[in-house]
Amino acid sequence: TRTACDLQACLNKNTYKPERCDKVLRSLYECCQRMYDERGDDAEASACPQANIVKRWIKDHPGTTK
């Protein structure tokens, strides 16, 4: 997905400061959450971690959710 590519590019650019990619990471996890909401927790996408990891990350990193 484009979001996954954006995250990889950001991390490559900010090797020593990955926190600069937090917005892109949040965007990826929110996109993955929307996919799981629509298709169920058994859905698969190469760019998304398992549903339980996405849910835990979003819970542990409160902020704007789309």
Side-chain angles (χ1 to χ4, degrees):
T1 67
R2 179 185 164 110
T3 306
C5 293
D6 290 347
L7 177 58
Q8 187 62 48
C10 184
L11 290 172
N12 286 340
K13 183 179 176 182
N14 295 288
T15 303
Y16 300 106
K17 296 199 182 270
E19 63 277 3
R20 290 184 177 173
C21 301
D22 286 350
K23 285 184 180 181
V24 183
L25 183 59
R26 172 166 293 286
S27 178
L28 175 64
Y29 275 80
E30 288 176 350
C31 177
C32 292
Q33 184 60 56
R34 285 191 302 274
M35 179 196 70
Y36 290 124
D37 289 345
E38 292 172 6
R39 300 182 187 171
D41 288 354
D42 292 334
E44 293 183 12
S46 60
C48 292
Q50 294 176 339
N52 62 329
I53 294 170
V54 172
K55 288 177 185 177
R56 182 177 40 214
W57 188 92
I58 290 174
K59 179 183 174 192
D60 291 346
H61 298 87
T64 309
T65 303
K66 296 179 183 176

